[in-house]
């Protein structure tokens, strides 16, 4: 049964070599275009333009994110310095006899 199916498939199989020989170079060019291995020059230029535009957009976005990360680092340092200043002021006021939380006196 399997042998008979294989024989039928072999009889009905397209003759690829014969088709290529019949169509020659134009057939090969069409086949390569259909497979996407060969593209027309305008399409290729458009793909290159798109590639360059996306690359530029990626680089600008990467730089913007780096600037945002740098701003967060600076803000974190500033906040840390403000907290340390507040702790120092609280400690100093406590040593001078002033309550650090005036609302707690009542």
């Amino acid at each position: 049964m399997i042998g008979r199916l294989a024989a039928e498939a072999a009889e009905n199989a397209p003759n690829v070599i014969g088709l290529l020989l019949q169509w020659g170079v134009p057939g090969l060019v069409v086949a390569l275009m259909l497979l996407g291995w060969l593209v027309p020059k305008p399409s290729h230029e458009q793909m290159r333009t798109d590639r360059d535009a996306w690359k530029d957009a990626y680089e600008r976005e990467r730089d913007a994110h780096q600037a945002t990360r740098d701003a967060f680092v600076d803000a974190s340092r500033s906040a840390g310095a403000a907290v340390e200043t507040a702790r120092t002021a609280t400690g100093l006021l406590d040593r001078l006899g002033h309550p650090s939380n005036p609302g707690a006196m009542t």
Side-chain angles (χ1 to χ4, degrees):
M1 170 109 180
I2 294 176
R4 184 171 49 100
L5 290 175
E8 287 178 14
E11 289 176 9
N12 296 332
N15 184 2
V16 176
I17 295 174
L19 286 173
L20 284 176
L21 291 175
Q22 180 181 1
W23 286 94
V25 175
L28 182 62
V29 169
V30 169
L32 291 175
M33 288 179 81
L34 290 175
L35 291 172
W37 293 354
L38 185 66
V39 294
K41 186 174 182 176
S43 297
H44 180 50
E45 292 297 325
Q46 182 62 42
M47 285 188 287
R48 289 176 62 131
T49 303
D50 291 345
R51 179 202 63 193
D52 293 341
W54 280 107
K55 183 179 178 184
D56 291 342
Y58 165 75
E59 289 174 353
R60 284 192 311 271
E61 190 69 19
R62 184 188 59 200
D63 294 342
H65 281 292
Q66 185 59 44
T68 302
R69 285 190 289 273
D70 292 343
F72 279 134
V73 167
D74 291 342
S76 177
R77 287 180 184 153
S78 297
V83 168
E84 193 59 38
T85 302
R87 284 184 185 152
T88 303
T90 301
L92 181 63
L93 288 173
D94 284 343
R95 286 185 182 249
L96 293 175
H98 294 282
S100 59
N101 187 357
M105 289 179 48
T106 56

